[in-house]
Amino acid sequence: MNARSASLVLVGLLALSLNLRAALSAYPPLLGEVRGALGIDAGTAGAAQTGAILAMAVGSLIGPRVGARFGAVRALGASVGLVALGSLVRGVPALAPLFIGTLVIGLGIGVAGVLLTAVVKDRLAARAGMASGAYVVAMMLGSTIVSALAVPVAVGLGGWSYSLALWAVPALVAVGVWVAIMRGDTAPRSANATARRRLPWRDPFARLTAMYQSGVSLTVYGSLTWVAPAYVDRGWSPGTAGLLIAVWSVAQMPSALLVPILAERSGHFRRWALLMASGSVVAVLGMVLLPEPPVVGAWLWVALIGIGCGAGFPLGLSVIAHRTPDAAASAATSGLALGVGYTVAGLGPLLMGVLVDLTHGYAAALLVLLGAALLQIVATVGIGDHRREAAAATT
């Protein structure tokens, strides 16, 4: 593929990626209004978001077959179309459409995540680290923007359901951009790009990537869910504790973009992945043992764990792109890795909440994040580096 075509494909991927967290990020800021309008308790309101994460797991597991059946390029656009459809369904201000729409969004995100990896392998293999980091940063930007605008949009449009539905518009625009770009793309694809493959459960490399993504995903969603409440429990105001999550989010963006590029150029996935996971270990121990200033305090710890979270996800995707022989194998391996990872991400914060209730504190829950980082380290040692001979795909 020539440089111009590759650049256009990357633009299309970034347009789609901006929408792969945005719709879900619009919901948490509106939880209070949703609960008041529908008369539901916190558990019911939270179950919608947990359901979305588990739907992402299902979408990841079926994503390789969807790509094989319809082609990765076409199916990728359709999966983001599901995000738009789910957003429109949530425009109906009732409990059933809220749940159905959120599950459809999660399913679309899960399928899209797998197919992004396949398209990168097929069309941008020489720049897999850069492409993976770029589209992860695009996801983060979309999430950040929508989180900030969800409440003002709800006020301006006259209701929470309108705010949730509005994010169908940028998703549909992104699909249109993708279709326009790929219609003119004539780059040859590998012969096996859309070959049907089963999920490679028996492949040691694929199992290690599933272990790795489980550690990364649990760290991300566990931190997002429980770090701020842990500091509110220590006497911080909710607003200040919320700023911790803002710092955590901002710290992810430069590491997501830069670290995969550095790892790709050096060929040393293991070195960089171990560095990122080790930073998360230090951060969790810091939050448990030295949570307050003047020694160091929370701000450094959340920045460290944010850096690790930001780099961890695209590092895992880029090593799959480098170590699999073709786009279909890449989709199958990433489908297994993301499917298992999102399942753990959906259940992990629930376990942390149970530990908070059982221990009447947050230390035990935060140590779950330590376990997640250690799991990531074990998997990283087993995976090795970019330049190791590609793992055999299971067909």
Side-chain angles (χ1 to χ4, degrees):
M1 174 176 285
N2 61 45
R4 182 177 181 275
S5 296
S7 297
L8 284 174
V9 171
L10 181 59
V11 169
L13 291 175
L14 295 181
L16 296 177
S17 300
L18 282 167
N19 296 278
L20 294 186
R21 291 294 182 274
L24 293 183
S25 299
Y27 180 62
L30 298 169
L31 266 176
E33 187 176 346
V34 171
R35 288 182 60 195
L38 299 182
I40 57 177
D41 58 25
T44 302
Q49 202 77 335
T50 299
I53 297 171
L54 296 178
M56 288 162 65
V58 173
S60 299
L61 294 172
I62 68 172
R65 288 189 176 274
V66 174
R69 174 67 178 84
F70 299 103
V73 168
R74 182 183 301 174
L76 178 55
S79 64
V80 179
L82 284 179
V83 175
L85 175 62
S87 298
L88 289 173
V89 170
R90 295 199 302 183
V92 179
L95 185 60
L98 174 65
F99 269 79
I100 292 169
T102 301
L103 292 175
V104 170
I105 289 169
L107 186 66
I109 290 173
V111 173
V114 171
L115 298 177
L116 279 169
T117 308
V119 172
V120 167
K121 174 66 178 180
D122 195 37
R123 308 299 179 102
L124 301 167
R127 295 187 284 176
M130 180 275 292
S132 298
Y135 73 64
V136 170
V137 170
M139 287 192 287
M140 294 174 182
L141 282 173
S143 175
T144 302
I145 292 168
V146 172
S147 295
L149 294 179
V151 173
V153 168
V155 172
L157 295 181
W160 59 269
S161 62
Y162 298 123
S163 180
L164 293 180
L166 178 66
W167 308 113
V169 176
L172 290 172
V173 170
V175 171
V177 170
W178 177 247
V179 169
I181 288 175
M182 298 313 296
R183 181 177 294 163
D185 176 61
T186 58
R189 291 177 293 173
S190 60
N192 295 323
T194 58
R196 182 177 296 277
R197 293 180 183 270
R198 298 187 182 95
L199 293 176
W201 293 98
R202 296 182 180 181
D203 178 18
F205 172 71
R207 291 200 299 266
L208 285 169
T209 60
M211 182 187 301
Y212 176 86
Q213 289 292 2
S214 295
V216 172
S217 299
L218 178 52
T219 304
V220 170
Y221 287 94
S223 301
L224 180 63
T225 305
W226 290 110
V227 166
Y231 276 89
V232 171
D233 187 64
R234 298 188 64 85
W236 289 41
S237 71
T240 305
L243 288 177
L244 284 175
I245 299 303
V247 170
W248 174 81
S249 299
V250 170
Q252 291 184 56
M253 294 185 192
S255 68
L257 186 60
L258 296 176
V259 173
I261 295 174
L262 295 172
E264 183 175 64
R265 287 179 177 175
S266 67
H268 295 304
F269 162 81
R270 177 163 51 188
R271 178 184 302 170
W272 286 98
L274 286 175
L275 180 62
M276 296 298 103
S278 298
S280 295
V281 169
V282 172
V284 175
L285 290 175
M287 284 190 286
V288 173
L289 301 176
L290 299 169
E292 299 277 8
V295 178
V296 178
W299 303 104
L300 175 61
W301 305 140
V302 296
L304 268 179
I305 203 167
I307 289 169
C309 289
F313 186 69
L315 275 173
L317 296 179
S318 67
V319 80
I320 290 172
H322 279 281
R323 291 275 298 278
T324 48
D326 55 55
S330 183
T333 303
S334 61
L336 177 63
L338 294 175
V340 174
Y342 286 138
T343 301
V344 172
L347 299 177
L350 176 62
L351 170 63
M352 294 173 72
V354 170
L355 290 173
V356 170
D357 290 336
L358 289 177
T359 62
H360 304 289
Y362 286 83
L366 292 175
L367 288 176
V368 171
L369 301 180
L370 177 63
L374 293 175
L375 182 67
Q376 191 177 335
I377 287 172
V378 171
T380 298
V381 171
I383 288 171
D385 283 325
H386 288 104
R387 291 172 179 163
R388 184 178 292 184
E389 184 179 352
T394 302
T395 59

